[in-house]
Amino acid sequence: MKYNPTYALILFFIISGVLYVLFRPAKGWFWIIKNNFKSNEKIVTEDILKQLYHFENSGNKVDTKTLLQVLDFNNNQIIEVVKKMTINDLIYFESDVLKLTNAGRDYALRIVRIHRLWERYLADKTGFSKEEWHDRAEMMEHKLNHDETNTLAAHLGNPKFDPHGDPIPTKTGKVAEVHGVELPLLPVNSIGRITHIEDEPEIIYKQILAENIHMGSLIRVVENNATRIVFLSEGEEFRLAPIVAANLTVAPIEKEIIIEDNIARLSSLKEDETAIITGISKESRGESRRRLLDLGFVKGATIKIDLINPLGEPNAYLIKGTSIALRKDQAAKILIKKD
Amino acid sequence: MDTKVKSACETCAHFNADGLKKMGIHTDNVDFVVALAGNPNTGKSTVFNSLTGLRQHTGNWPGKTVTRAEGGFEYNKQKYKLVDLPGTYSLLSTSEDEAAARDFILFGKPDVTVIVADANRLERNLNLVLQILEITDKAVLCLNLMDEAKRNHIIIDERTLARDLGIPVVATSARFSQGIPELIHTISEIANGNIICKPHRIKNVPSNIENAVKTLTAEIEKEFPNIPNSRWIAFRLLEGDTEIIKALKSGELV
Amino acid sequence: MANKNIDHILELSNELRWQIGDEFHDNLTEGIYADAAQIVSDTVQVDESKKRFRLDRQIDKIVTSKVFGFPIMFLILATVLWLTIIGANYPSSLLAQLLLDTFHPILKTGVAAINMPWWLSGFLIDGVYLAVAWVIAVMLPPMAIFFPMFTLLEDFGYLPRVAFNLDNLFKKSGAHGKQALTMTMGFGCNAAGVVATRIIDSPRERLIAIITNNFSLCNGRWPTQILIATIFIGAVVPSTFSSLASLLAVIVIAVLGMAFMFGTSWALSKTLLKGQVSTFNLELPPYRPPRFWKTIYTSLIDRTMIVLWRAIVFAAPAGAVIWLISNIYIGNESIAAWAIDSMNGFGFLLGLNGVILLAYIVAIPANEIVIPTILMLTVLVTGIDGGAGAGVMFELDSVNATGDILKAGGWTLLTAINLMLFSLLHNPCSTTIYTIYKETKSVKWTVFASIMPVILGFIVTFLVAQIWRIVF
Ligand SMILES: Nc1nc2c(ncn2[C@@H]2O[C@H](COP(=O)(O)OP(=O)(O)OP(=O)(O)O)[C@@H](O)[C@H]2O)c(=O)[nH]1
Ligand SMILES: [Mg+2]
């Protein structure tokens, strides 16, 4: 064929098109086919164990039919695997109901441990958003072996709770207790700290996340009735329907703690205003929180805007004699009291 | 320009100008190792250059030095190896970029640590100074950028500062080589044990943490009777620092 | 020393950690700052009555303002480049005259006098010596001007302001604002830029910064851009505007490099290096008047040393290779001619030619020698008489002579434009590749960072070539 630039261009676009269809992120055919091969027996086994463990904890009974509903694997494969698991003594049937053997429970605990550790890791050490933690941990829980898990735990300082406040089983399978009561049970004016945010069902969890409610925040209940629950936290007022609020566990605090009412966020500071820092939101975790503290964003420090950015953000703030630039999302995590 | 004005000490009895020799990159058979630590952009590399005669890159932005550099000088027939470290805001974080400095201060066991601080921003610099003083008791504070402080009408009472911190304080303007002789002299005094420091220990710690630290410190000292900075190690263990755990296990810290 | 059993200590520390709760770090830092505040209140006095006019702040207000911020950045870049282009001319031709016109013949006569075999003298003098001399003559002057100016800006404290202004763009492409600093370091040398990425504390964003640093035109490539722009772009406009046109062309390439840097960062953070943008904080130091002469002196000395060193370490063997491949024959064709022939087709598709592609392969060790290699190989294939024999880099009497030779080699405006593009978009030099490996400790990312720009270069030059041919 003789060279012709138009043909060359057309050929180029055809090839790029094909490559795009095959390899585009997530939806490329190549990845889809690859993923289909991946749902192997180990993953199915471990997912079954985990489901049974959760059902057992919430006191529900499971038969094969429920299992088929909650897991999205090929039904035949699940039945196949369940058979194998009974042979391997991981589970047994009590009439119709599936039960975990001791070995099965240990195995399940190990999976739960990895899952929650990994969520902790994602929360503290990476920048993945909260919405992504769960799905990534789902993938990871099948990958880490025993030693890797323990190294990870040590690296994270052997945490007791995952970022939702769920206890992380220890190496030996011990599970700590979550303190606190469901939010709707707290009377008006009581003060408490959020110790757990239930991440299922997902719709409610997403709603809580969207509200910007964080683990570890102090709250004060200002209204509590059958239609809504209103509370203050980190300078904002939240209104939740009781069913949503029931997914929050709060540990009441007896001590006298004053929760300031007129707290704002650094991102709302205007030029020429000064403010005092009252703390950093619990939303800021891990390394980035430490860095903010190291840079002098500590309780009691005076702060004001030094420079406005030509593109809107980051702005530079004058703190302890130095101008430090912070992006908006980070400034939104610093709590201040304006003068 | 007034940069050539002799600083007080160069003519005073203590500093022996003839005893100083810049050795550049030659650092064999040294008697003492001296570390240069401090917040970013406080002039560590500038101090390093004026002590060793080298041309380590300096630049007016935090983070110019990212790898450690070594050089040497000789004073009164003793050889010193000087290590220029990347700037750090804190030794408490676990961030990668500060690891080089953190590890050297803790595991490199320098004979003297020169903490370079910006006189214009003493408060934020003290954050790091106070942390270093938990680790080592052979340190000198080099209060740099004094020329700028003067222009900003900042007056620092060096004697009170030295008393509060429990270590010698030397005011310098490294860029104009002011105060460098005093710094050298002080380094040699500390290295030879002629100045004994009594470093400040962090005081404003909430009682629940202080109690935990005390309990843990006692336990650590039982196991390692000769450890010099058990309180710091307790702080780090409470934070769950895996590096420290590893180092404790291998006995690297004693 | 034997491993100590410290399990009980760890156990205890774990237990105590749980009792204290997650406020430990907050409390400790607040405690330290409280100590610091006490000490400061004892010892520091600020004379508020003499509050002076803060010059820093006034400068900052201007260089980060909505109206002037970006134009000033652009203007500074343009000025630096313009001074480099104008200023390098004279010393360049002086050095060329000295090293190539004067010394080379002397050396030639010298070795002839001691009866050195022709292949050895050809290898040493026409290969090694000429390559080194070329690099010194063409590369050193622009570098000696560019670097001190750059260092002056750095000492003044302008770079953090660039990072401040640009951060929002970096954030949108999923990268870290301090990448602006490593990018500007890359304008000097990509290897240095890669090392500088250590200031970026999140691993994901650091990797992005490492991979995309190559899109900062480094010092080894500025002179190529300047030379080609002067010969070809400057020639299409009336001569009064020619230096302006070539300056603009170089700026366009540099800005295009930044665009590719943003684009690639964005694509990476959406695909291979997925993850959320992490936090960013940047301390803006006070402005400091640079020590003008000292800066000029040290950066000149330092750069001269480094460039000379690199010239000897890399350009010399490359020069030797060039001489060898054009003097070793397989059948009745030299290796070079054979390689050029076989790559000509592909080169044509990209709007380049076999000579350029071969030059880029030979010049992997150091970008500095691309142009001399191209000239030499062009002479080889066209058979025009520019130098003293096969594989001998000839003298660059003037920019025009170079242009004549290239045009005789079949070069057009398209070849020039695509060479400039390809010089921007190709694999990093070997030093940078090695540095990337040292910094990432990953073969995978090193390979990726080396190959990705070339592929991008192929695609871009290909597209430009086809469209050019359809349009014109
Ligand atoms: N006016 C004045 N400027 C100084 C002095 N010492 C250092 N500088 C300037 O301060 C800037 C920072 O100096 P460096 O020596 O690079 O600082 P560093 O502490 O090594 O910085 P990092 O390597 O980034 O941690 C440079 O522009 C120096 O020229 C001083 O005593 N007075
Ligand atoms: Mg430095």
Side-chain angles (χ1 to χ4, degrees):
Chain A
M1 199 173 78
K2 231 178 107 41
Y3 167 78
N4 175 323
T6 318
Y7 292 159
L9 261 190
I10 292 172
L11 196 67
F12 172 81
F13 283 120
I14 292 175
I15 295 176
S16 331
V18 171
L19 287 178
Y20 176 74
V21 170
L22 279 179
F23 294 106
R24 77 181 140 152
K27 282 185 229 129
W29 291 357
F30 178 81
W31 311 120
I32 292 177
I33 293 168
K34 202 174 144 201
N35 280 344
N36 273 347
F37 277 110
K38 245 186 10 198
S39 70
N40 62 19
E41 207 176 291
K42 179 162 179 277
I43 295 180
V44 182
T45 312
E46 294 180 348
D47 280 358
I48 293 175
L49 286 171
K50 210 175 55 172
Q51 285 301 337
L52 291 181
Y53 174 79
H54 290 315
F55 278 118
E56 189 181 273
N57 268 4
S58 54
N60 290 323
K61 296 203 162 83
V62 204
D63 52 16
T64 319
K65 222 167 92 194
T66 347
L67 203 59
L68 293 183
Q69 273 165 12
V70 293
L71 293 172
D72 48 86
F73 293 112
N74 176 314
N75 284 356
N76 293 333
Q77 196 183 11
I78 296 179
I79 292 168
E80 198 64 24
V81 172
V82 167
K83 249 187 237 154
K84 266 202 192 144
M85 287 166 75
T86 43
I87 298 169
N88 291 341
D89 241 0
L90 290 172
I91 51 175
Y92 64 96
F93 278 94
E94 222 176 62
S95 70
D96 259 359
V97 179
L98 278 160
K99 294 246 161 157
L100 287 168
T101 65
N102 280 340
R105 190 168 303 110
D106 284 350
Y107 195 162
L109 272 172
R110 225 159 61 218
I111 304 302
V112 172
R113 173 172 156 84
I114 305 172
H115 182 100
R116 293 183 178 166
L117 272 174
W118 196 255
E119 286 194 345
R120 180 89 257 167
Y121 168 78
L122 291 174
D124 286 358
K125 306 275 176 182
T126 71
F128 287 104
S129 72
K130 289 176 184 170
E131 288 83 2
E132 283 185 71
W133 293 347
H134 185 78
D135 292 341
R136 291 192 168 263
E138 284 288 281
M139 263 162 35
M140 213 54 202
E141 68 192 12
H142 306 296
K143 286 189 187 152
L144 293 188
N145 67 26
H146 198 64
D147 286 342
E148 285 165 346
T149 314
N150 291 337
T151 318
L152 177 67
H155 181 60
L156 297 171
N158 289 312
K160 266 191 182 160
F161 295 96
D162 77 0
H164 311 295
D166 284 314
I168 299 173
T170 63
K171 243 189 292 196
T172 49
K174 266 188 277 181
V175 184
E177 252 176 62
V178 180
H179 296 286
V181 295
E182 287 178 7
L183 177 56
L185 300 176
L186 280 187
V188 170
N189 265 335
S190 50
I191 290 178
R193 189 182 289 284
I194 300 177
T195 53
H196 180 229
I197 299 176
E198 178 55 48
D199 59 354
E200 302 211 342
E202 208 180 312
I203 320 167
I204 293 188
Y205 179 59
K206 288 255 158 85
Q207 201 178 333
I208 295 175
L209 289 189
E211 288 279 357
N212 237 347
I213 298 171
H214 324 299
M215 274 290 303
S217 309
L218 282 176
I219 65 162
R220 191 179 82 213
V221 184
V222 284
E223 193 183 324
N224 187 347
N225 53 43
T227 51
R228 64 179 192 180
I229 291 160
V230 183
F231 63 92
L232 289 175
S233 171
E234 296 185 344
E236 276 176 43
E237 194 180 83
F238 298 93
R239 295 149 191 272
L240 298 179
I243 49 158
V244 178
N247 276 13
L248 296 176
T249 310
V250 179
I253 294 177
E254 307 297 334
K255 269 187 303 183
E256 273 299 302
I257 292 187
I258 301 148
I259 296 196
E260 308 252 9
D261 287 337
N262 50 349
I263 287 181
R265 285 160 192 270
L266 184 54
S267 47
S268 71
L269 194 68
K270 305 238 162 44
E271 215 178 350
D272 300 327
E273 285 179 337
T274 46
I276 307 271
I277 294 182
T278 59
I280 299 178
S281 159
K282 289 289 170 187
E283 166 73 346
S284 173
R285 298 168 307 265
E287 209 49 60
S288 60
R289 182 185 189 90
R290 288 181 197 168
R291 184 41 66 89
L292 283 178
L293 289 165
D294 291 340
L295 287 171
F297 293 89
V298 288
K299 223 178 272 173
T302 323
I303 191 164
K304 66 186 232 192
I305 289 191
D306 191 41
L307 284 177
I308 303 270
N309 194 285
L311 296 180
E313 70 168 321
N315 286 337
Y317 300 94
L318 195 64
I319 181 157
K320 291 193 191 287
T322 298
S323 182
I324 293 178
L326 291 184
R327 285 176 179 170
K328 217 174 243 157
D329 49 357
Q330 234 178 331
K333 291 172 190 160
I334 295 173
L335 309 173
I336 55 167
K337 214 178 128 186
K338 292 187 190 173
D339 285 346
Chain B
M1 237 186 339
D2 62 355
T3 59
K4 285 283 169 277
V5 173
K6 280 219 166 136
S7 59
C9 196
E10 222 167 320
T11 47
C12 74
H14 304 304
F15 181 69
N16 172 10
D18 297 334
L20 176 66
K21 223 190 299 170
K22 298 176 181 179
M23 304 199 305
I25 53 166
H26 303 289
T27 56
D28 316 325
N29 306 322
V30 290
D31 300 298
F32 301 108
V33 176
V34 180
L36 273 174
N39 277 29
N41 209 34
T42 51
K44 294 176 296 299
S45 302
T46 312
V47 171
F48 176 87
N49 289 347
S50 59
L51 285 177
T52 59
L54 289 173
R55 280 194 308 271
Q56 174 72 5
H57 288 204
T58 63
N60 188 11
W61 50 286
K64 175 69 196 182
T65 310
V66 286
T67 50
R68 73 175 221 224
E70 298 182 355
F73 67 91
E74 194 182 303
Y75 181 64
N76 287 348
K77 304 227 159 54
Q78 286 174 319
K79 288 183 177 170
Y80 295 79
K81 177 164 96 177
L82 198 60
V83 182
D84 183 23
L85 296 170
T88 52
Y89 288 106
S90 161
L91 302 175
L92 290 169
S93 299
T94 43
S95 79
E96 256 343 282
D97 56 327
E98 303 190 327
R102 199 176 51 229
D103 291 351
F104 189 80
I105 296 170
L106 198 53
F107 304 126
K109 299 208 186 79
D111 295 297
V112 181
T113 305
V114 178
I115 314 171
V116 184
D118 179 348
N120 301 275
R121 299 170 182 76
L122 190 58
E123 188 179 344
R124 67 167 47 250
N125 279 246
L126 282 181
N127 177 34
L128 179 74
V129 175
L130 294 177
Q131 291 176 29
I132 294 178
L133 293 188
E134 286 285 336
I135 296 178
T136 173
D137 49 9
K138 287 184 149 193
V140 46
L141 182 71
C142 166
L143 209 49
N144 195 27
L145 294 150
M146 283 306 279
D147 55 316
E148 282 186 6
K150 200 168 153 202
R151 241 179 303 136
N152 292 334
H153 309 292
I154 295 173
I155 299 159
I156 299 178
D157 178 355
E158 290 155 39
R159 299 217 356 221
T160 313
L161 185 60
R163 204 192 55 217
D164 282 0
L165 292 175
I167 54 166
V169 173
V170 180
T172 61
S173 295
R175 187 169 172 168
F176 309 108
S177 294
Q178 282 171 5
I180 298 298
E182 290 93 329
L183 184 63
I184 294 174
H185 186 68
T186 314
I187 291 172
S188 90
E189 293 286 285
I190 297 176
N192 289 300
N194 299 337
I195 296 180
I196 306 290
C197 309
K198 284 192 84 142
H200 175 101
R201 292 288 139 113
I202 301 165
K203 295 194 185 82
N204 281 303
V205 184
S207 59
N208 63 333
I209 293 183
E210 190 58 54
N211 291 338
V213 169
K214 280 214 179 90
T215 321
L216 199 52
T217 310
E219 200 61 32
I220 295 169
E221 280 172 354
K222 231 190 280 169
E223 193 69 43
F224 305 92
N226 297 324
I227 208 154
N229 36 28
S230 52
R231 187 157 178 248
W232 175 257
I233 292 168
F235 281 138
R236 296 314 295 153
L237 287 182
L238 286 176
E239 190 111 28
D241 185 335
T242 41
E243 290 289 309
I244 294 284
I245 296 175
K246 237 194 292 168
L248 258 190
K249 274 192 182 141
S250 64
E252 231 177 301
L253 278 166
V254 188
Chain C
M1 201 169 137
N3 273 6
K4 276 271 192 182
N5 184 6
I6 53 160
D7 285 348
H8 61 286
I9 297 180
L10 297 184
E11 204 64 45
L12 179 67
S13 70
N14 274 343
E15 205 37 59
L16 290 169
R17 182 170 339 128
W18 294 120
Q19 285 171 21
I20 299 171
D22 60 353
E23 305 261 278
F24 173 72
H25 193 97
D26 292 38
N27 286 333
L28 184 57
T29 313
E30 279 162 18
I32 299 173
Y33 267 112
D35 275 26
Q38 258 169 27
I39 295 175
V40 165
S41 75
D42 271 5
T43 54
V44 179
Q45 276 180 20
V46 186
D47 191 345
E48 299 285 349
S49 65
K50 291 191 188 141
K51 263 280 175 241
R52 76 207 166 88
F53 164 74
R54 270 185 70 197
L55 182 64
D56 278 83
R57 222 180 120 63
Q58 300 312 315
I59 299 177
D60 265 339
K61 282 230 149 136
I62 297 168
V63 299
T64 65
S65 76
K66 260 204 173 79
V67 185
F68 299 115
F70 280 81
I72 286 178
M73 263 181 345
F74 189 75
L75 215 70
I76 288 180
L77 178 69
T79 314
V80 169
L81 285 181
W82 183 72
L83 288 176
T84 308
I85 292 176
I86 301 292
N89 247 337
Y90 177 71
S92 237
S93 56
L94 199 76
L95 277 172
Q97 218 167 35
L98 198 72
L99 294 175
L100 303 169
D101 289 353
T102 318
F103 274 148
H104 186 235
I106 294 179
L107 281 174
K108 275 279 199 196
T109 5
V111 292
I114 59 165
N115 283 330
M116 197 184 262
W118 73 269
W119 53 269
L120 187 59
S121 79
F123 178 84
L124 282 181
I125 303 205
D126 296 336
V128 176
Y129 172 78
L130 274 186
V132 175
W134 228 99
V135 169
I136 293 173
V138 179
M139 309 305 282
L140 203 55
M143 286 187 198
I145 296 172
F146 184 89
F147 256 106
M149 281 198 290
F150 189 76
T151 317
L152 286 176
L153 278 179
E154 189 184 341
D155 274 355
F156 180 53
Y158 184 63
L159 297 194
R161 274 72 188 181
V162 173
F164 178 75
N165 283 346
L166 289 177
D167 177 63
N168 205 357
L169 297 178
F170 282 100
K171 186 187 171 196
K172 287 197 175 119
S173 32
H176 198 284
K178 285 187 186 168
Q179 195 173 323
L181 294 171
T182 64
M183 178 188 83
T184 41
M185 289 287 116
F187 283 148
C189 165
N190 291 137
V194 169
V195 178
T197 60
R198 291 190 190 183
I199 56 169
I200 298 173
D201 43 19
S202 105
R204 187 188 76 91
E205 278 126 326
R206 179 164 177 227
L207 200 50
I208 291 181
I210 289 178
I211 292 169
T212 56
N213 195 272
N214 188 41
F215 295 125
S216 290
L217 271 183
C218 74
N219 235 308
R221 293 183 274 168
W222 287 116
T224 308
Q225 301 287 352
I226 293 171
L227 187 71
I228 299 295
T230 314
I231 295 173
F232 288 91
I233 314 271
V236 287
V237 295
S239 62
T240 34
F241 298 115
S242 64
S243 74
L244 192 67
S246 38
L247 172 67
L248 270 179
V250 177
I251 291 178
V252 165
I253 294 286
V255 172
L256 204 64
M258 289 183 225
F260 273 107
M261 193 258 318
F262 282 118
T264 317
S265 301
W266 177 83
L268 280 172
S269 68
K270 284 277 171 287
T271 55
L272 295 178
L273 289 170
K274 229 170 135 153
Q276 249 208 343
V277 281
S278 68
T279 56
F280 161 83
N281 51 68
L282 176 72
E283 189 183 323
L284 299 172
Y287 290 102
R288 300 195 162 116
R291 278 169 298 176
F292 192 79
W293 292 113
K294 187 166 168 131
T295 305
I296 299 230
Y297 172 77
T298 46
S299 65
L300 233 139
I301 295 294
D302 281 1
R303 282 306 135 188
T304 316
M305 294 312 286
I306 288 175
V307 170
L308 276 178
W309 176 242
R310 254 175 83 88
I312 290 156
V313 170
F314 290 120
V321 167
I322 295 168
W323 188 84
L324 282 178
I325 58 172
S326 32
N327 281 287
I328 296 178
Y329 282 71
I330 301 177
N332 49 15
E333 233 185 2
S334 69
I335 298 181
W338 172 82
I340 289 167
D341 273 351
S342 53
M343 284 190 292
N344 252 337
F346 184 57
F348 176 75
L349 260 189
L350 304 181
L352 301 168
N353 56 40
V355 169
I356 297 174
L357 293 181
L358 180 63
Y360 269 98
I361 294 172
V362 175
I364 284 177
N367 282 308
E368 289 89 333
I369 57 167
V370 164
I371 291 291
T373 311
I374 286 174
L375 290 177
M376 184 277 300
L377 292 172
T378 306
V379 173
L380 184 78
V381 286
T382 52
I384 48 170
D385 194 14
V392 181
M393 293 181 190
F394 52 85
E395 296 95 278
L396 171 71
D397 295 342
S398 68
V399 166
N400 287 339
T402 312
D404 290 343
I405 287 177
L406 291 178
K407 279 168 198 147
W411 282 47
T412 61
L413 190 54
L414 171 66
T415 326
I417 290 174
N418 272 0
L419 175 64
M420 286 173 80
L421 285 170
F422 196 68
S423 154
L424 173 70
L425 303 169
H426 71 89
N427 57 287
C429 72
S430 58
T431 317
T432 309
I433 295 178
Y434 177 63
T435 313
I436 293 176
Y437 176 70
K438 268 201 314 201
E439 294 297 314
T440 60
K441 295 194 188 68
S442 148
V443 177
K444 186 179 109 189
W445 287 116
T446 310
V447 170
F448 180 81
S450 315
I451 308 265
M452 183 269 297
V454 196
I455 294 180
L456 215 55
F458 286 159
I459 293 174
V460 169
T461 48
F462 172 82
L463 290 177
V464 170
Q466 310 317 311
I467 292 168
W468 181 282
R469 283 170 191 150
I470 292 171
V471 175
F472 296 101

